[in-house]
Amino acid sequence: MKTLTTFSSHDTRLAAKRLAKTLKPGTVIRLEGNLGSGKTTFIKGIAEGLGVSSAEEVTSPTFVLMHLYRGRVPVYHFDLYRLETEAELETLGFEEFLNDPSAICCIEWPEKAGDLIPANALTVHLEINGPEQRTLRITEGKKHAKGK
Ligand SMILES: Nc1ncnc2c1ncn2[C@@H]1O[C@H](COP(=O)(O)OP(=O)(O)OP(=O)(O)O)[C@@H](O)[C@H]1O
Ligand SMILES: [Mg+2]
């Protein structure tokens, strides 16, 4: 587990941008944290790090549940806050997106997807410490098999 503290949204974005450069396509990132903790801000940095030129347009996909950003590696951005049933995820083809080996998949409010998210997903937990201070805890998921 890696823990870091950021002191502005710019800091959080920069931390995400750095992390993005180390990610392998096919990675799923769960973003946990309260409203306004910085999940979307973090995804902006991920998109930026992956060469998405319109990273400024990264906003929570409130009505469509998912956005796609085209960078060197495509980024899927899900926000499940308004999800009412897991059945909606099936309609959306959620699992196909999760299993896309060529993309990075970022999920806000992953708790809503229950067991659908693979155990090897990376988890970023953001904690609000003050108006501009956040603690980020980055945890690697369980690996599927030995040596992978
Ligand atoms: N250190 C920080 N890191 C991230 N965001 C910060 C920080 N300090 C202040 N902020 C502010 O907190 C807010 C975070 O908003 P953001 O939309 O990223 O949160 P969120 O977790 O996606 O919220 P939601 O659950 O509503 O989707 C922004 O207004 C941002 O400017
Ligand atoms: Mg958000």
Side-chain angles (χ1 to χ4, degrees):
M1 185 173 83
K2 191 176 151 190
T3 305
L4 65 144
T5 302
T6 65
F7 299 90
S8 67
S9 58
H10 178 260
D11 268 4
T12 295
R13 200 163 150 169
L14 199 64
K17 186 176 169 182
R18 289 202 182 110
L19 175 74
K21 296 186 179 181
T22 71
L23 297 176
K24 290 199 190 81
T27 301
V28 175
I29 310 177
R30 311 168 70 254
L31 290 122
E32 297 178 346
N34 288 339
L35 287 169
S37 58
K39 301 179 294 294
T40 301
T41 303
F42 193 90
I43 296 169
K44 271 189 184 151
I46 294 280
E48 198 180 4
L50 295 171
V52 174
S53 54
S54 57
E56 291 318 315
E57 288 163 27
V58 174
T59 52
S60 274
T62 305
F63 297 108
V64 292
L65 289 181
M66 189 195 83
H67 281 163
L68 163 66
Y69 313 118
R70 295 176 193 282
R72 281 191 302 283
V73 176
V75 180
Y76 300 130
H77 176 188
F78 288 92
D79 187 332
L80 306 183
Y81 186 66
R82 286 185 171 72
L83 189 79
E84 284 173 4
T85 64
E86 279 189 31
E88 287 175 60
L89 291 175
E90 237 170 86
T91 316
L92 194 72
F94 185 62
E95 287 186 89
E96 279 82 29
F97 289 114
L98 282 179
N99 291 317
D100 185 339
S102 66
I104 303 283
C105 187
C106 300
I107 309 163
E108 296 189 50
W109 300 100
E111 302 86 347
K112 297 250 185 168
D115 297 336
L116 290 178
I117 300 175
N120 65 350
L122 203 69
T123 297
V124 178
H125 183 94
L126 295 108
E127 190 103 26
I128 303 177
N129 301 326
E132 299 239 58
Q133 190 180 321
R134 306 287 187 267
T135 298
L136 277 57
R137 285 200 313 260
I138 303 174
T139 323
E140 276 190 47
K142 293 189 193 86
K143 299 284 181 262
H144 278 312
K146 254 204 282 187
K148 274 205 176 165

PDB file of all heavy atoms in Angstrom, residues 27-56:
ATOM      1  N   THR A  27      -5.808  -2.389 -16.823  1.00  0.00           N
ATOM      2  CA  THR A  27      -5.931  -2.115 -15.385  1.00  0.00           C
ATOM      3  C   THR A  27      -7.295  -1.506 -15.056  1.00  0.00           C
ATOM      4  O   THR A  27      -7.793  -0.646 -15.775  1.00  0.00           O
ATOM      5  CB  THR A  27      -4.816  -1.144 -14.917  1.00  0.00           C
ATOM      6  OG1 THR A  27      -3.544  -1.725 -15.201  1.00  0.00           O
ATOM      7  CG2 THR A  27      -4.909  -0.834 -13.436  1.00  0.00           C
ATOM      8  N   VAL A  28      -7.853  -1.969 -13.954  1.00  0.00           N
ATOM      9  CA  VAL A  28      -9.106  -1.409 -13.443  1.00  0.00           C
ATOM     10  C   VAL A  28      -8.767  -0.665 -12.153  1.00  0.00           C
ATOM     11  O   VAL A  28      -8.042  -1.176 -11.306  1.00  0.00           O
ATOM     12  CB  VAL A  28     -10.135  -2.533 -13.153  1.00  0.00           C
ATOM     13  CG1 VAL A  28     -11.399  -1.974 -12.515  1.00  0.00           C
ATOM     14  CG2 VAL A  28     -10.468  -3.300 -14.442  1.00  0.00           C
ATOM     15  N   ILE A  29      -9.266   0.574 -12.030  1.00  0.00           N
ATOM     16  CA  ILE A  29      -9.014   1.364 -10.817  1.00  0.00           C
ATOM     17  C   ILE A  29     -10.333   1.667 -10.117  1.00  0.00           C
ATOM     18  O   ILE A  29     -11.243   2.257 -10.717  1.00  0.00           O
ATOM     19  CB  ILE A  29      -8.304   2.701 -11.134  1.00  0.00           C
ATOM     20  CG1 ILE A  29      -7.082   2.474 -12.020  1.00  0.00           C
ATOM     21  CG2 ILE A  29      -7.902   3.417  -9.849  1.00  0.00           C
ATOM     22  CD1 ILE A  29      -6.392   3.764 -12.425  1.00  0.00           C
ATOM     23  N   ARG A  30     -10.433   1.264  -8.854  1.00  0.00           N
ATOM     24  CA  ARG A  30     -11.610   1.584  -8.038  1.00  0.00           C
ATOM     25  C   ARG A  30     -11.296   2.872  -7.300  1.00  0.00           C
ATOM     26  O   ARG A  30     -10.257   2.964  -6.643  1.00  0.00           O
ATOM     27  CB  ARG A  30     -11.873   0.471  -7.021  1.00  0.00           C
ATOM     28  CG  ARG A  30     -11.866  -0.935  -7.609  1.00  0.00           C
ATOM     29  CD  ARG A  30     -11.848  -2.012  -6.544  1.00  0.00           C
ATOM     30  NE  ARG A  30     -13.107  -2.067  -5.828  1.00  0.00           N
ATOM     31  CZ  ARG A  30     -13.323  -1.628  -4.594  1.00  0.00           C
ATOM     32  NH1 ARG A  30     -12.319  -1.128  -3.897  1.00  0.00           N
ATOM     33  NH2 ARG A  30     -14.495  -1.710  -4.033  1.00  0.00           N
ATOM     34  N   LEU A  31     -12.190   3.853  -7.361  1.00  0.00           N
ATOM     35  CA  LEU A  31     -11.968   5.113  -6.639  1.00  0.00           C
ATOM     36  C   LEU A  31     -12.984   5.240  -5.527  1.00  0.00           C
ATOM     37  O   LEU A  31     -14.176   5.386  -5.780  1.00  0.00           O
ATOM     38  CB  LEU A  31     -12.062   6.292  -7.605  1.00  0.00           C
ATOM     39  CG  LEU A  31     -10.852   6.262  -8.521  1.00  0.00           C
ATOM     40  CD1 LEU A  31     -11.258   6.184  -9.950  1.00  0.00           C
ATOM     41  CD2 LEU A  31      -9.945   7.416  -8.232  1.00  0.00           C
ATOM     42  N   GLU A  32     -12.485   5.148  -4.301  1.00  0.00           N
ATOM     43  CA  GLU A  32     -13.364   5.223  -3.136  1.00  0.00           C
ATOM     44  C   GLU A  32     -13.153   6.554  -2.426  1.00  0.00           C
ATOM     45  O   GLU A  32     -12.049   7.089  -2.436  1.00  0.00           O
ATOM     46  CB  GLU A  32     -13.015   4.119  -2.138  1.00  0.00           C
ATOM     47  CG  GLU A  32     -13.218   2.725  -2.657  1.00  0.00           C
ATOM     48  CD  GLU A  32     -12.797   1.678  -1.619  1.00  0.00           C
ATOM     49  OE1 GLU A  32     -12.122   2.031  -0.622  1.00  0.00           O
ATOM     50  OE2 GLU A  32     -13.147   0.521  -1.827  1.00  0.00           O
ATOM     51  N   GLY A  33     -14.202   7.032  -1.792  1.00  0.00           N
ATOM     52  CA  GLY A  33     -14.080   8.273  -1.013  1.00  0.00           C
ATOM     53  C   GLY A  33     -15.384   9.031  -1.071  1.00  0.00           C
ATOM     54  O   GLY A  33     -16.165   8.881  -2.018  1.00  0.00           O
ATOM     55  N   ASN A  34     -15.593   9.872  -0.060  1.00  0.00           N
ATOM     56  CA  ASN A  34     -16.840  10.624   0.034  1.00  0.00           C
ATOM     57  C   ASN A  34     -17.034  11.606  -1.106  1.00  0.00           C
ATOM     58  O   ASN A  34     -16.100  11.863  -1.867  1.00  0.00           O
ATOM     59  CB  ASN A  34     -16.857  11.400   1.368  1.00  0.00           C
ATOM     60  CG  ASN A  34     -17.045  10.459   2.538  1.00  0.00           C
ATOM     61  OD1 ASN A  34     -17.529   9.337   2.369  1.00  0.00           O
ATOM     62  ND2 ASN A  34     -16.643  10.909   3.725  1.00  0.00           N
ATOM     63  N   LEU A  35     -18.215  12.161  -1.176  1.00  0.00           N
ATOM     64  CA  LEU A  35     -18.535  13.212  -2.138  1.00  0.00           C
ATOM     65  C   LEU A  35     -17.497  14.325  -2.002  1.00  0.00           C
ATOM     66  O   LEU A  35     -17.205  14.756  -0.889  1.00  0.00           O
ATOM     67  CB  LEU A  35     -19.908  13.827  -1.819  1.00  0.00           C
ATOM     68  CG  LEU A  35     -21.146  12.979  -2.125  1.00  0.00           C
ATOM     69  CD1 LEU A  35     -22.376  13.630  -1.507  1.00  0.00           C
ATOM     70  CD2 LEU A  35     -21.323  12.853  -3.623  1.00  0.00           C
ATOM     71  N   GLY A  36     -16.955  14.749  -3.119  1.00  0.00           N
ATOM     72  CA  GLY A  36     -16.015  15.860  -3.097  1.00  0.00           C
ATOM     73  C   GLY A  36     -14.624  15.505  -2.588  1.00  0.00           C
ATOM     74  O   GLY A  36     -13.800  16.379  -2.333  1.00  0.00           O
ATOM     75  N   SER A  37     -14.337  14.220  -2.451  1.00  0.00           N
ATOM     76  CA  SER A  37     -13.007  13.851  -1.940  1.00  0.00           C
ATOM     77  C   SER A  37     -11.932  13.966  -3.018  1.00  0.00           C
ATOM     78  O   SER A  37     -10.742  14.064  -2.706  1.00  0.00           O
ATOM     79  CB  SER A  37     -13.028  12.445  -1.328  1.00  0.00           C
ATOM     80  OG  SER A  37     -13.452  11.497  -2.271  1.00  0.00           O
ATOM     81  N   GLY A  38     -12.342  13.924  -4.292  1.00  0.00           N
ATOM     82  CA  GLY A  38     -11.353  14.110  -5.361  1.00  0.00           C
ATOM     83  C   GLY A  38     -11.255  12.957  -6.356  1.00  0.00           C
ATOM     84  O   GLY A  38     -10.278  12.873  -7.106  1.00  0.00           O
ATOM     85  N   LYS A  39     -12.256  12.111  -6.385  1.00  0.00           N
ATOM     86  CA  LYS A  39     -12.216  10.957  -7.292  1.00  0.00           C
ATOM     87  C   LYS A  39     -12.136  11.404  -8.752  1.00  0.00           C
ATOM     88  O   LYS A  39     -11.293  10.922  -9.519  1.00  0.00           O
ATOM     89  CB  LYS A  39     -13.452  10.054  -7.072  1.00  0.00           C
ATOM     90  CG  LYS A  39     -13.557   9.525  -5.637  1.00  0.00           C
ATOM     91  CD  LYS A  39     -14.788   8.661  -5.412  1.00  0.00           C
ATOM     92  CE  LYS A  39     -16.101   9.389  -5.512  1.00  0.00           C
ATOM     93  NZ  LYS A  39     -16.316  10.394  -4.452  1.00  0.00           N
ATOM     94  N   THR A  40     -13.012  12.334  -9.118  1.00  0.00           N
ATOM     95  CA  THR A  40     -13.017  12.812 -10.506  1.00  0.00           C
ATOM     96  C   THR A  40     -11.718  13.562 -10.815  1.00  0.00           C
ATOM     97  O   THR A  40     -11.138  13.415 -11.899  1.00  0.00           O
ATOM     98  CB  THR A  40     -14.249  13.712 -10.763  1.00  0.00           C
ATOM     99  OG1 THR A  40     -15.429  12.949 -10.495  1.00  0.00           O
ATOM    100  CG2 THR A  40     -14.291  14.205 -12.201  1.00  0.00           C
ATOM    101  N   THR A  41     -11.259  14.326  -9.852  1.00  0.00           N
ATOM    102  CA  THR A  41      -9.991  15.056 -10.008  1.00  0.00           C
ATOM    103  C   THR A  41      -8.851  14.081 -10.296  1.00  0.00           C
ATOM    104  O   THR A  41      -8.010  14.306 -11.177  1.00  0.00           O
ATOM    105  CB  THR A  41      -9.690  15.863  -8.714  1.00  0.00           C
ATOM    106  OG1 THR A  41     -10.796  16.730  -8.459  1.00  0.00           O
ATOM    107  CG2 THR A  41      -8.409  16.645  -8.815  1.00  0.00           C
ATOM    108  N   PHE A  42      -8.843  12.974  -9.569  1.00  0.00           N
ATOM    109  CA  PHE A  42      -7.815  11.955  -9.758  1.00  0.00           C
ATOM    110  C   PHE A  42      -7.900  11.380 -11.182  1.00  0.00           C
ATOM    111  O   PHE A  42      -6.876  11.206 -11.861  1.00  0.00           O
ATOM    112  CB  PHE A  42      -7.997  10.845  -8.710  1.00  0.00           C
ATOM    113  CG  PHE A  42      -6.832   9.904  -8.603  1.00  0.00           C
ATOM    114  CD1 PHE A  42      -5.794  10.169  -7.722  1.00  0.00           C
ATOM    115  CD2 PHE A  42      -6.758   8.765  -9.398  1.00  0.00           C
ATOM    116  CE1 PHE A  42      -4.699   9.311  -7.619  1.00  0.00           C
ATOM    117  CE2 PHE A  42      -5.670   7.902  -9.305  1.00  0.00           C
ATOM    118  CZ  PHE A  42      -4.640   8.181  -8.413  1.00  0.00           C
ATOM    119  N   ILE A  43      -9.106  11.129 -11.641  1.00  0.00           N
ATOM    120  CA  ILE A  43      -9.290  10.553 -12.986  1.00  0.00           C
ATOM    121  C   ILE A  43      -8.831  11.547 -14.064  1.00  0.00           C
ATOM    122  O   ILE A  43      -8.300  11.147 -15.103  1.00  0.00           O
ATOM    123  CB  ILE A  43     -10.749  10.086 -13.190  1.00  0.00           C
ATOM    124  CG1 ILE A  43     -11.047   8.952 -12.203  1.00  0.00           C
ATOM    125  CG2 ILE A  43     -10.998   9.624 -14.628  1.00  0.00           C
ATOM    126  CD1 ILE A  43     -12.522   8.568 -12.089  1.00  0.00           C
ATOM    127  N   LYS A  44      -9.018  12.833 -13.794  1.00  0.00           N
ATOM    128  CA  LYS A  44      -8.483  13.852 -14.727  1.00  0.00           C
ATOM    129  C   LYS A  44      -6.992  13.659 -14.920  1.00  0.00           C
ATOM    130  O   LYS A  44      -6.473  13.725 -16.027  1.00  0.00           O
ATOM    131  CB  LYS A  44      -8.700  15.259 -14.161  1.00  0.00           C
ATOM    132  CG  LYS A  44      -9.998  15.856 -14.534  1.00  0.00           C
ATOM    133  CD  LYS A  44     -10.045  17.327 -14.118  1.00  0.00           C
ATOM    134  CE  LYS A  44     -11.426  17.818 -14.440  1.00  0.00           C
ATOM    135  NZ  LYS A  44     -11.943  18.868 -13.638  1.00  0.00           N
ATOM    136  N   GLY A  45      -6.310  13.421 -13.809  1.00  0.00           N
ATOM    137  CA  GLY A  45      -4.858  13.224 -13.868  1.00  0.00           C
ATOM    138  C   GLY A  45      -4.500  11.938 -14.601  1.00  0.00           C
ATOM    139  O   GLY A  45      -3.524  11.903 -15.359  1.00  0.00           O
ATOM    140  N   ILE A  46      -5.275  10.905 -14.386  1.00  0.00           N
ATOM    141  CA  ILE A  46      -5.042   9.627 -15.083  1.00  0.00           C
ATOM    142  C   ILE A  46      -5.167   9.870 -16.593  1.00  0.00           C
ATOM    143  O   ILE A  46      -4.292   9.473 -17.380  1.00  0.00           O
ATOM    144  CB  ILE A  46      -6.081   8.554 -14.642  1.00  0.00           C
ATOM    145  CG1 ILE A  46      -5.896   8.184 -13.178  1.00  0.00           C
ATOM    146  CG2 ILE A  46      -6.032   7.330 -15.559  1.00  0.00           C
ATOM    147  CD1 ILE A  46      -4.780   7.212 -12.874  1.00  0.00           C
ATOM    148  N   ALA A  47      -6.245  10.537 -16.974  1.00  0.00           N
ATOM    149  CA  ALA A  47      -6.494  10.796 -18.404  1.00  0.00           C
ATOM    150  C   ALA A  47      -5.358  11.628 -18.997  1.00  0.00           C
ATOM    151  O   ALA A  47      -4.841  11.314 -20.077  1.00  0.00           O
ATOM    152  CB  ALA A  47      -7.840  11.511 -18.571  1.00  0.00           C
ATOM    153  N   GLU A  48      -4.944  12.613 -18.258  1.00  0.00           N
ATOM    154  CA  GLU A  48      -3.853  13.478 -18.714  1.00  0.00           C
ATOM    155  C   GLU A  48      -2.564  12.667 -18.903  1.00  0.00           C
ATOM    156  O   GLU A  48      -1.876  12.791 -19.920  1.00  0.00           O
ATOM    157  CB  GLU A  48      -3.650  14.578 -17.674  1.00  0.00           C
ATOM    158  CG  GLU A  48      -2.890  15.759 -18.173  1.00  0.00           C
ATOM    159  CD  GLU A  48      -2.730  16.813 -17.079  1.00  0.00           C
ATOM    160  OE1 GLU A  48      -3.153  16.573 -15.927  1.00  0.00           O
ATOM    161  OE2 GLU A  48      -2.170  17.853 -17.391  1.00  0.00           O
ATOM    162  N   GLY A  49      -2.281  11.818 -17.948  1.00  0.00           N
ATOM    163  CA  GLY A  49      -1.077  10.992 -18.007  1.00  0.00           C
ATOM    164  C   GLY A  49      -1.095  10.006 -19.163  1.00  0.00           C
ATOM    165  O   GLY A  49      -0.050   9.555 -19.622  1.00  0.00           O
ATOM    166  N   LEU A  50      -2.287   9.678 -19.634  1.00  0.00           N
ATOM    167  CA  LEU A  50      -2.404   8.735 -20.742  1.00  0.00           C
ATOM    168  C   LEU A  50      -2.582   9.443 -22.069  1.00  0.00           C
ATOM    169  O   LEU A  50      -2.967   8.838 -23.071  1.00  0.00           O
ATOM    170  CB  LEU A  50      -3.559   7.761 -20.477  1.00  0.00           C
ATOM    171  CG  LEU A  50      -3.325   6.851 -19.259  1.00  0.00           C
ATOM    172  CD1 LEU A  50      -4.578   6.069 -18.915  1.00  0.00           C
ATOM    173  CD2 LEU A  50      -2.159   5.903 -19.509  1.00  0.00           C
ATOM    174  N   GLY A  51      -2.351  10.744 -22.060  1.00  0.00           N
ATOM    175  CA  GLY A  51      -2.340  11.489 -23.317  1.00  0.00           C
ATOM    176  C   GLY A  51      -3.707  11.894 -23.827  1.00  0.00           C
ATOM    177  O   GLY A  51      -3.882  12.162 -25.009  1.00  0.00           O
ATOM    178  N   VAL A  52      -4.685  11.962 -22.931  1.00  0.00           N
ATOM    179  CA  VAL A  52      -6.009  12.455 -23.355  1.00  0.00           C
ATOM    180  C   VAL A  52      -5.911  13.970 -23.465  1.00  0.00           C
ATOM    181  O   VAL A  52      -5.609  14.643 -22.483  1.00  0.00           O
ATOM    182  CB  VAL A  52      -7.108  12.054 -22.329  1.00  0.00           C
ATOM    183  CG1 VAL A  52      -8.445  12.678 -22.678  1.00  0.00           C
ATOM    184  CG2 VAL A  52      -7.211  10.540 -22.230  1.00  0.00           C
ATOM    185  N   SER A  53      -6.137  14.489 -24.665  1.00  0.00           N
ATOM    186  CA  SER A  53      -5.906  15.926 -24.849  1.00  0.00           C
ATOM    187  C   SER A  53      -7.040  16.745 -24.239  1.00  0.00           C
ATOM    188  O   SER A  53      -6.881  17.904 -23.918  1.00  0.00           O
ATOM    189  CB  SER A  53      -5.750  16.255 -26.323  1.00  0.00           C
ATOM    190  OG  SER A  53      -6.856  15.755 -27.019  1.00  0.00           O
ATOM    191  N   SER A  54      -8.194  16.119 -24.034  1.00  0.00           N
ATOM    192  CA  SER A  54      -9.340  16.857 -23.502  1.00  0.00           C
ATOM    193  C   SER A  54      -9.552  16.548 -22.021  1.00  0.00           C
ATOM    194  O   SER A  54     -10.682  16.484 -21.563  1.00  0.00           O
ATOM    195  CB  SER A  54     -10.587  16.478 -24.284  1.00  0.00           C
ATOM    196  OG  SER A  54     -10.772  15.071 -24.210  1.00  0.00           O
ATOM    197  N   ALA A  55      -8.449  16.369 -21.277  1.00  0.00           N
ATOM    198  CA  ALA A  55      -8.575  16.005 -19.855  1.00  0.00           C
ATOM    199  C   ALA A  55      -9.399  17.030 -19.071  1.00  0.00           C
ATOM    200  O   ALA A  55     -10.028  16.693 -18.069  1.00  0.00           O
ATOM    201  CB  ALA A  55      -7.200  15.816 -19.221  1.00  0.00           C
ATOM    202  N   GLU A  56      -9.429  18.274 -19.560  1.00  0.00           N
ATOM    203  CA  GLU A  56     -10.248  19.302 -18.893  1.00  0.00           C
ATOM    204  C   GLU A  56     -11.721  18.932 -18.918  1.00  0.00           C
ATOM    205  O   GLU A  56     -12.512  19.396 -18.120  1.00  0.00           O
ATOM    206  CB  GLU A  56     -10.083  20.668 -19.572  1.00  0.00           C
ATOM    207  CG  GLU A  56      -8.715  21.314 -19.402  1.00  0.00           C
ATOM    208  CD  GLU A  56      -8.152  21.181 -17.996  1.00  0.00           C
ATOM    209  OE1 GLU A  56      -8.897  21.415 -17.040  1.00  0.00           O
ATOM    210  OE2 GLU A  56      -6.975  20.817 -17.869  1.00  0.00           O
TER     211      GLU A  56
END
